[in-house]
Amino acid sequence: MLSQADDDFQSVFFELAGDLRIYMLLKLSVKPYRLSQLAADLDATMQESHRNINRLIDSKLVKKTGEGELLLTPYGEIIVSLIPNFNFPFRHKDYFQEHTLSNLPLKFVQRIGSLNNCEVVIGVMAVLQRWKAVYNNSREYIKEVISQVPIDLIETIADRVNNNVKFSYIFPSDVVIPRGRNEILKKLGWKNLVSKGIVERRMVDKVNIVTVFNEKESCLSFPTLKGEPDLNIMFYSKDESFHDWCVDFFEYEWDKAKLFDESKLGPEI
């Protein structure tokens, strides 16, 4: 049997289920409105606007001032701030039939709405081209948590590093090493760049979530239901909130990563 608290909790979702009520809350999150203005902005009749705003007032999400203005209550502000967290998985519900956040710490799942403003990049070649653009556009740094070594992009990264762009990356210990990588790194003087601190690297047991970003652009890929990184579909954004999410995720992985040990990498394939 449901308690009163459970009933109240479910009532919030019931109120959010109405499109007009959602739009009213989002409008009121920007500024106060009079009901007539709100109805006009939402192209709704006064009758349906009055009925729906009264429901939001009864639910303590909205209040009406003595001057007749409608505004969110502090409780309403909290509820509205959480709406974006439902928007991202809803917009990409087909993607999340085949991909999982199960390995993602809860603190990042609870901020998933930060990823709302993004573009979906489809196809391995399109993903690699976007990574290359992120590398080329970097002016301060490149950071990445990556599951594979993109050998075709090593020289692009080296070019940026030689232009004083700091490069920090995390590999899994089971990373696939493409044939010719070691020879390219030797030619580029990679060990010297590492010793100077221009290149930083660490290692984790396994990479599930892939992110590549510079100071302004971010790329992010989630794993398949089997927990394997999927580089066929990627989210890309220049949005600050998206970028902050990727930065914080990288720092989380970096802090728990081990020292990089080249000897533990597999043979070139």
Side-chain angles (χ1 to χ4, degrees):
M1 185 174 179
L2 293 176
S3 67
Q4 181 63 46
D6 290 329
D7 272 343
D8 291 343
F9 181 72
Q10 290 184 2
S11 72
V12 173
F13 284 93
F14 187 73
E15 297 306 333
L16 296 179
D19 285 351
L20 182 56
R21 294 191 292 280
I22 281 281
Y23 294 138
M24 284 178 160
L25 291 170
L26 293 174
K27 284 284 187 183
L28 292 172
S29 70
V30 177
K31 65 176 185 178
Y33 274 85
R34 291 187 176 276
L35 184 59
S36 58
Q37 296 172 321
L38 192 58
D41 272 17
L42 295 174
D43 196 24
T45 66
M46 280 297 292
Q47 183 180 3
E48 64 178 333
S49 297
H50 188 269
R51 177 171 56 83
N52 281 279
I53 206 68
N54 279 342
R55 289 182 58 163
L56 295 175
I57 291 172
D58 291 342
S59 298
K60 304 187 186 306
L61 294 165
V62 172
K63 65 181 178 181
K64 190 174 184 179
T65 68
E67 292 75 35
E69 283 193 322
L70 299 163
L71 65 156
L72 295 179
T73 65
Y75 165 63
E77 290 175 358
I78 294 171
I79 295 300
V80 172
S81 72
L82 297 174
I83 291 174
N85 284 328
F86 294 94
N87 192 33
F88 180 74
F90 172 77
R91 284 171 52 211
H92 303 289
K93 55 181 175 292
D94 291 338
Y95 175 86
F96 285 111
Q97 297 299 314
E98 304 294 336
H99 299 81
T100 180
L101 303 182
S102 61
N103 292 312
L104 186 63
L106 182 59
K107 64 181 179 180
F108 291 104
V109 177
Q110 291 171 335
R111 291 173 53 196
I112 206 71
S114 300
L115 307 179
N116 273 324
N117 297 320
C118 67
E119 171 192 345
V120 180
V121 180
I122 300 175
V124 173
M125 292 307 299
V127 167
L128 291 177
Q129 284 303 310
R130 191 60 59 93
W131 283 1
K132 186 174 183 178
V134 169
Y135 296 149
N136 281 326
N137 294 338
S138 62
R139 294 296 177 269
E140 298 175 18
Y141 64 80
I142 302 166
K143 296 185 180 185
E144 61 184 29
V145 182
I146 198 165
S147 58
Q148 298 180 23
V149 178
I151 191 167
D152 294 339
L153 301 183
I154 291 176
E155 293 193 8
T156 302
I157 296 170
D159 175 72
R160 302 313 305 143
V161 168
N162 287 323
N163 280 277
N164 297 316
V165 172
K166 190 167 184 177
F167 181 41
S168 305
Y169 63 93
I170 300 173
F171 274 176
S173 55
D174 62 352
V175 67
V176 175
I177 304 298
R179 190 173 299 280
R181 167 190 174 265
N182 293 336
E183 184 179 338
I184 292 173
L185 293 185
K186 185 176 181 180
K187 182 179 72 173
L188 295 171
W190 204 251
K191 286 186 177 180
N192 185 46
L193 293 171
V194 171
S195 66
K196 288 181 176 180
I198 300 172
V199 173
E200 294 181 317
R201 51 190 186 166
R202 290 192 182 179
M203 183 177 287
V204 292
D205 291 335
K206 186 170 179 60
V207 165
N208 303 108
I209 295 171
V210 171
T211 184
V212 176
F213 59 93
N214 61 26
E215 61 275 9
K216 293 183 178 179
E217 302 170 89
S218 313
C219 303
L220 182 64
S221 299
F222 291 107
T224 64
L225 298 181
K226 293 182 179 180
E228 299 300 324
D230 183 3
L231 302 185
N232 290 293
I233 305 178
M234 181 185 76
F235 298 103
Y236 165 83
S237 183
K238 293 182 180 180
D239 180 76
E240 184 177 352
S241 294
F242 190 108
H243 185 264
D244 287 346
W245 194 101
C246 293
V247 169
D248 290 347
F249 177 73
F250 176 88
E251 290 178 353
Y252 167 80
E253 290 289 300
W254 185 265
D255 287 345
K256 70 184 182 70
K258 306 169 186 174
L259 292 176
F260 194 90
D261 187 346
E262 190 82 29
S263 69
K264 289 187 177 180
L265 298 179
E268 292 187 355
I269 297 176

